[in-house]
Amino acid sequence: VGNVGTGEDDLITYSLPANTLSTDLYHIRVTAFGQTAANANTKTIKLYFGAQLVMQSAATGYNNLDWILQAVIFRTGAATQIAIGWGLVGTNVLTTTYSTPTETLSGAVTIKCTGEGTANNDVVERGHVVEFRG
């Protein structure tokens, strides 16, 4: 799935079922991966857990590169989490991020990857994996 024109576009989304993270320290690992177009257009790739941005690439002209973003999200309470994210675009190591989402886990939570570019398919997501650990 690729972006369309300018602006941030949802690529692949997943609805984490309600109560999946029902106990403190239960956690998930999210892996999203894909490719950038073979051009010098500015591109940005982002990974979200609900409303919280948990990992993103820099906005730069990645040219024909494979990419991967990962995040581990731990439950710390019924509506509190901690998230650690990291990634690569080609050989460019992305800055590790730490965030504190506040999603209510008794309901479903949307996990998504987005892409932003200038032209269609500047950012293409090839897959998205969500792994649960209790």
Side-chain angles (χ1 to χ4, degrees), residues 8 12 23 27 43 64 77 95 105 115:
E8 186 177 7
I12 295 177
T23 302
H27 59 282
K43 304 162 184 82
N64 195 31
T95 302
L105 300 172

Side-chain angles (χ1 to χ4, degrees), residues 1 3 12 19-20 22 26 28 30 48-49 56-57 60 73 75 78 86 90 92 98 104 110-111 115 128 132-133:
V1 177
N3 72 292
I12 295 177
N19 297 310
T20 298
S22 60
Y26 277 16
I28 59 170
V30 181
Y48 290 88
F49 179 74
Q56 74 175 11
S57 72
T60 192
I73 298 100
R75 175 195 156 116
W86 59 91
N92 302 289
Y98 174 85
T104 302
T110 298
I111 297 167
H128 198 109
F132 169 76
R133 298 283 185 255

Side-chain angles (χ1 to χ4, degrees), residues 93-126:
V93 177
L94 304 179
T95 302
T96 301
T97 61
Y98 174 85
S99 57
T100 53
T102 55
E103 297 299 319
T104 302
L105 300 172
S106 60
V109 178
T110 298
I111 297 167
K112 69 180 180 180
C113 188
T114 67
E116 185 172 355
T118 304
N120 292 351
N121 299 316
D122 273 344
V123 178
V124 174
E125 184 175 2
R126 298 285 185 211

Side-chain angles (χ1 to χ4, degrees), residues 35-50:
Q35 297 171 310
T36 64
N39 61 45
N41 294 346
T42 298
K43 304 162 184 82
T44 307
I45 311 156
K46 297 179 180 178
L47 183 61
Y48 290 88
F49 179 74

Side-chain angles (χ1 to χ4, degrees), residues 52-97:
Q52 179 69 49
L53 176 65
V54 294
M55 187 64 218
Q56 74 175 11
S57 72
T60 192
Y62 299 118
N63 187 338
N64 195 31
L65 297 174
D66 295 326
W67 59 266
I68 185 168
L69 300 182
Q70 278 196 328
V72 177
I73 298 100
F74 290 86
R75 175 195 156 116
T76 56
T80 58
Q81 303 86 45
I82 58 171
I84 307 294
W86 59 91
L88 292 168
V89 181
T91 59
N92 302 289
V93 177
L94 304 179
T95 302
T96 301
T97 61

